[in-house]
Every structure is written in structure tokens, then in C-alpha cells.
Amino acid sequence: MSKKRIETVLENLSERGISQLLVCDPRSIQYLADVYVEPGERFLGLLLRAGAEQPTLFLNRLFTAPAGIEAEVVSFDDTEDPLALLASRCDANSVLGCDKNLPARFLIPLMERNVASGFALASDAVDDARAIKDEQECALMRAASAANDAGMAQFKSLVHEGVTERAVAAQLEEIYQGLGAQGHSFSPIVSFGANAADPHHEPDGTRLKRGDTVLFDVGCRKDEYCSDMTRTFFFGEASDEQRHVYEVVRQANEAGKAAVRPGARFCDIDAAARKVIEDAGYGPYFTHRLGHQIGLDVHEPGDVSSVNEEQVAPGMCFSIEPGIYLPGRFGVRIEDLVIVTEDGCEVLNTYPRELSIID
């Protein structure tokens, strides 16, 4: 598996005229070498070179590489200079492709030592490979979303009059773990009432009252892969305006998913959902892109936005999450994940999207 992924990345590099790449992002290293390390301030790098039998992993001895890793492991301790070890294995006569997450404290010394003839941002060679999920990854994405669906069914039961957003959010991780997930894939958003008009609201001490919007934007990490879903409910009752806004967002969600097919542009998918909201007169209140790619990270490069003219391809996985946010009043968002298929898309979330009032 790792060998095939590395071959794909090297092919992507070759198309860019680059023969060597330093990967530093921990999730990209996990994707390519089946080892995950959070190095903190220490150096961590995976060097890929065209023609090499295997990549080279530079790893502090505080961390352990699993047995059978498909890479040469170069170990070092805190008294050694890992950049000197890296320099000895770089081709000084070729450009070094660099990871977007390579810290300046490492990049600048590498440049000063002239370890390569030039330096180029080239992590998109890995990003493009990660964007196309293989069948094993698709299965893991399905499992993570199934756990998220099951979690959402339980999250509703935590909602009652007077409870705070913070109190509800504090209980979610234990529910995920009971469903076989490792925990959150991102900090959960639990928003009541007017707070739901802030797309990235952080749960606070706001107490729930009758007539409030209840918005959950949540995700779990299961077997390393991430899920992400948003559902909006109403507590006790829903006004005519709340019902109308909800239905507009639901239709926008459906329109976005219907536009997904191989060859469609990300910007056109965004436009399909956005048109529904604009036609209903709420265009200024849909304030973010329609979606983002997802996999080992909850937000991966490549977004579903009005400025992304790239075409989608089978195996890509991303969110469709239109919303309407009325400041000081309420907000509604409905989010699903989709995997692009040969003739459309597979929607990973099955949790109902019809308007629901929590009694």
C-alpha cells in the first residue's frame, strides 16, 4: 500500500520537474509510511527521492517506528544535528520539494547549507494523492461516518431545557468512545439560539430555552479517519421563519449533492447549493464555502468553493454544508460527507435531514 502511494507521489513530483521531496506533515507521513508521530519541536521528516529503493524517515529516538516499516529509518537524539543527516542524503544538484508544514526553523538552515540547488513548495504532490481515496480508505470513511450518525442519535438525548452548550459538549467524546471511535476529529460545535448564527461558535455557558435552535457540528476519528456532520434541531417549537430557513438549507444541501459527479468543478458544486439560498433571498447570510475535503485530517487541501475550478474525480471525499446565519437571531446548517463515484456520489451520512423538534 505504502509503495503504491509513494509511486503516485513521485509521479506527481515528476510532472512538476522535481525529483526529491521532504515530507514533514505527520498525517502525510502516516499516509506514506504507516507511522504516526507528533514530534513537537523536534525534527521529523520523510525524504522521497526518484530512483531510491525506499524513502528515508528521520526520527528522533524518543519515538519508535513500527516493525516492517517500508522506509530506511535514520535515528538521532537531542544531541545530534538531524539536518546534517538529512543533508547527507539530499541531492545538492537538484531542487528539493518542501512540505507546506516545514517550519522556518528547519527550512532556513537547510537553505543556508545549500543542501539543494533550489527549494520549491511541493506538498501538493502528496495532497493530490491523498485526495483520491482507495477502497480501503473509503471503507474507513464509511465506518467513521456511521459512528458519527450513531453519535448524533445519542447527542439529541442530552438536550433539555436549561442545559448549557458546554455541558452538552463535554459529554460527546465519551459517547464516541462507546461507539468504537478514538475521540473527536475536531472540537465540537454545540450552539443554542442566536449562537447558531456564528458558524464557528465555541460552546459556552448559554442555557437552552424553548424555541431555540440547537446546532451540532461534530465529528469523530475512527481507525485514524475522520468524520464530520452538522444537524440543526429546534427545541420545543419552531417558528414559521425557522421552518422556512431550514427548508431552504435542506434544499441547498440536496442541490449540492446532486451536482457532484466526475468532471464537475468544485466551484459549480458550490454554485448549485448557493443558488438555492440566493434565490430564497438569503444569499448574504451564507457566509462560507460549501465544503472541504476530508480523510486522515478533518480539513484537507482542496475546498468546495466559488474560486476552486478544479474538477472532482472518483475517490474524492468532501463535505456539503450550506448554511444560513441571521446575526443575533438563529442559524441553520446541514452537513453531509460524500465520496465521488463513477457516475455521481455516495452520501456517507444517513442521519435524517427532515426538520426535527426536540421536546
Side-chain angles (χ1 to χ4, degrees), residues 24 49 83 147 197 285 304 309:
C24 295
R49 289 185 57 187
L83 301 186
Y285 304 103
V304 190
E309 297 184 353

Side-chain angles (χ1 to χ4, degrees), residues 71-150:
E72 175 194 2
V73 179
V74 175
S75 300
F76 59 92
D77 59 35
D78 287 344
T79 66
E80 296 178 278
D81 180 6
L83 301 186
L85 298 173
L86 170 63
S88 69
R89 286 166 171 77
C90 287
D91 180 357
N93 297 314
S94 299
V95 170
L96 177 64
C98 296
D99 195 308
K100 60 182 179 293
N101 290 335
L102 175 59
R105 67 179 182 273
F106 299 133
L107 173 59
I108 292 175
L110 289 173
M111 297 173 71
E112 292 174 343
R113 296 182 189 195
N114 297 314
V115 303
S117 63
F119 298 83
L121 181 61
S123 52
D124 57 348
V126 184
D127 297 338
D128 290 350
R130 286 177 59 181
I132 306 297
K133 271 60 178 177
D134 58 36
E135 186 48 45
Q136 180 184 9
E137 290 181 290
C138 289
L140 291 168
M141 292 299 299
R142 294 183 190 105
S145 283
N148 210 18
D149 284 340

Side-chain angles (χ1 to χ4, degrees), residues 10 48 70 85 103 120 140 157 214 279 324:
L10 289 173
L48 278 60
E70 296 181 16
L85 298 173
L140 291 168
S157 68
V214 178
D279 288 350
I324 294 175

Side-chain angles (χ1 to χ4, degrees), residues 75-342:
S75 300
F76 59 92
D77 59 35
D78 287 344
T79 66
E80 296 178 278
D81 180 6
L83 301 186
L85 298 173
L86 170 63
S88 69
R89 286 166 171 77
C90 287
D91 180 357
N93 297 314
S94 299
V95 170
L96 177 64
C98 296
D99 195 308
K100 60 182 179 293
N101 290 335
L102 175 59
R105 67 179 182 273
F106 299 133
L107 173 59
I108 292 175
L110 289 173
M111 297 173 71
E112 292 174 343
R113 296 182 189 195
N114 297 314
V115 303
S117 63
F119 298 83
L121 181 61
S123 52
D124 57 348
V126 184
D127 297 338
D128 290 350
R130 286 177 59 181
I132 306 297
K133 271 60 178 177
D134 58 36
E135 186 48 45
Q136 180 184 9
E137 290 181 290
C138 289
L140 291 168
M141 292 299 299
R142 294 183 190 105
S145 283
N148 210 18
D149 284 340
M152 187 67 75
Q154 297 188 43
F155 301 160
K156 279 183 65 177
S157 68
L158 304 176
V159 175
H160 58 82
E161 189 165 8
V163 72
T164 67
E165 297 169 342
R166 189 179 293 119
V168 172
Q171 301 176 72
L172 306 188
E173 187 164 30
E174 185 175 356
I175 291 174
Y176 277 140
Q177 291 173 348
L179 293 167
Q182 286 68 61
H184 296 300
S185 56
F186 60 95
S187 297
I189 298 173
V190 180
S191 305
F192 297 160
N195 291 341
D198 175 2
H200 280 176
H201 173 71
E202 295 184 6
D204 59 24
T206 299
R207 295 187 179 277
L208 183 66
K209 63 183 184 300
R210 187 175 181 84
D212 275 351
T213 303
V214 178
L215 186 151
F216 286 97
D217 186 345
V218 293
C220 62
R221 182 179 293 278
K222 187 175 189 299
D223 297 324
E224 300 300 330
Y225 280 77
C226 298
S227 61
D228 187 4
M229 174 173 61
T230 305
R231 290 293 183 267
T232 304
F233 308 102
F234 300 95
F235 181 66
E237 61 186 17
S239 68
D240 289 344
E241 183 180 24
Q242 286 173 325
R243 291 175 180 272
H244 176 62
V245 168
Y246 187 92
E247 182 60 19
V248 172
V249 174
R250 190 191 66 78
Q251 291 177 6
N253 173 276
E254 295 298 329
K257 291 182 294 193
V260 178
R261 63 181 61 85
R265 300 184 302 173
F266 284 107
C267 58
D268 294 332
I269 298 169
D270 180 283
R274 197 169 299 275
K275 183 177 187 301
V276 175
I277 293 175
E278 291 175 343
D279 288 350
Y282 293 100
Y285 304 103
F286 180 14
T287 55
H288 55 74
R289 63 190 179 184
L290 181 63
H292 57 86
Q293 297 203 67
I294 184 172
L296 285 168
D297 287 305
V298 71
H299 280 200
E300 297 193 341
D303 61 0
V304 190
S305 72
S306 61
V307 298
N308 188 352
E309 297 184 353
E310 294 294 321
Q311 295 181 345
V312 305
M316 287 184 173
C317 184
F318 48 82
S319 64
I320 301 291
E321 49 181 302
I324 294 175
Y325 311 97
L326 304 178
R329 302 176 63 202
F330 67 93
V332 173
R333 181 165 65 254
I334 302 173
E335 175 186 13
D336 294 305
L337 298 184
V338 301
I339 294 176
V340 183
T341 62
E342 295 296 334

